[in-house]
Amino acid sequence: DSGVTQTPKHLITATGQRVTLRCSPRSGDLSVYWYQQSLDQGLQFLIQYYNGEERAKGNILERFSAQQFPDLHSELNLSSLELGDSALYFCASSVFDGGGPGDTQYFGPGTRLTVL
Amino acid sequence: GENVEQHPSTLSVQEGDSAVIKCTYSDSASNYFPWYKQELGKRPQLIIDIRSNVGEKKDQRIAVTLNKTAKHFSLHITETQPEDSAVYFCAARDNQGGKLIFGQGTELSVKP
């Protein structure tokens, strides 16, 4: 157990819908990262938040957004869902902003999203 | 943009043999290179990492080497066991935040 929690474990929804994925980082970690894992794209970085502020952005679609709250948990919002959004969504956390020594990223168990 | 290439995509070895997985990266600013092991349906788990000021690091049966000039790093697993069977991902991170760029993964199968 990495100490990073994600809910829900599984999510099945229809095209056009909107969902929210939740992540709680390890105690004391200030950074939260979101990654998408699909069969054809591998593990892709989406976005990073550090202490409530957006820190880095990957190829995140405009239909996707995220935020980090004062208690440091994060939510990833996916809207106007398409079949191709079906994937495993992982959250990871690290102590600091991720750029320094010792800033290992620990992954949560993931949320499996299925869009029908 | 940044890119990490990983080879081979699949690797099958006999129990007790060694396994080597290789990665190359494109961003010369990358300074941290972790390796993650992912079992089917599970989360990626860090197994070893190396920083750009070190050429080699070893942890029991696992070792990683880094050649900064060639922008190349490799994972070596010795005395493989069936429980080593999983997908292994290499990654590179630069010093501008924590964004990890992952390789495409190597599915390692260790046959008893």
Side-chain angles (χ1 to χ4, degrees):
Chain A
D1 185 2
S2 65
V4 180
T5 60
Q6 289 186 249
T7 56
K9 284 188 178 180
H10 303 278
L11 201 47
I12 301 174
T13 188
T15 55
Q17 296 298 304
R18 172 189 168 95
V19 297
T20 297
L21 313 183
R22 182 188 169 104
C23 168
S24 292
R26 295 185 322 154
S27 177
D29 284 2
L30 298 177
S31 269
V32 169
Y33 311 79
W34 287 97
Y35 292 88
Q36 179 191 58
Q37 185 174 36
S38 57
L39 281 174
D40 58 343
Q41 294 290 324
L43 269 163
Q44 299 281 319
F45 169 78
L46 295 178
I47 198 163
Q48 175 197 0
Y49 278 82
Y50 172 65
N51 205 20
E53 301 287 327
E54 184 182 301
R55 181 73 172 86
K57 210 167 185 176
N59 293 327
I60 186 168
L61 299 172
E62 285 191 13
R63 300 184 286 108
F64 295 3
S65 64
Q67 56 184 325
Q68 186 179 28
F69 294 86
D71 66 352
L72 300 177
H73 90 271
S74 177
E75 293 181 357
L76 179 67
N77 300 295
L78 315 176
S79 61
S80 302
L81 285 167
E82 301 175 359
L83 295 177
D85 297 328
S86 295
L88 259 174
Y89 290 84
F90 286 104
C91 162
S93 73
S94 69
V95 177
F96 298 117
D97 67 355
D103 226 0
T104 301
Q105 290 185 30
Y106 295 92
F107 281 74
T111 292
R112 181 173 293 281
L113 174 66
T114 302
V115 183
L116 300 175
Chain B
E2 308 102 322
N3 187 48
V4 175
E5 295 286 334
Q6 182 173 346
H7 299 280
S9 56
T10 60
L11 181 58
S12 182
V13 300
Q14 288 295 131
E15 183 177 0
D17 287 351
S18 294
V20 180
I21 303 170
K22 299 182 178 184
C23 289
T24 57
Y25 60 98
S26 62
D27 187 358
S28 55
S30 296
N31 63 1
Y32 171 68
F33 308 91
W35 286 88
Y36 285 85
K37 174 184 180 182
Q38 187 179 28
E39 296 175 355
L40 191 62
K42 301 287 182 65
R43 64 185 173 91
Q45 288 187 277
L46 180 76
I47 56 171
I48 196 166
D49 56 14
I50 192 167
R51 302 183 190 281
S52 57
N53 59 345
V54 175
E56 184 173 355
K57 183 176 177 180
K58 190 173 180 180
D59 182 5
Q60 299 183 348
R61 298 185 297 108
I62 295 173
V64 58
T65 59
L66 170 65
N67 182 328
K68 278 193 67 179
T69 303
K71 293 190 217 170
H72 172 274
F73 58 114
S74 300
L75 177 71
H76 304 251
I77 306 174
T78 59
E79 300 171 29
T80 53
Q81 301 166 5
E83 50 266 39
D84 293 330
S85 296
V87 179
Y88 290 80
F89 291 94
C90 64
R93 185 192 75 194
D94 64 27
N95 58 4
Q96 304 299 317
K99 175 181 176 181
L100 287 178
I101 305 299
F102 283 88
Q104 298 88 338
T106 296
E107 184 175 0
L108 174 64
S109 175
V110 180
K111 300 186 186 307

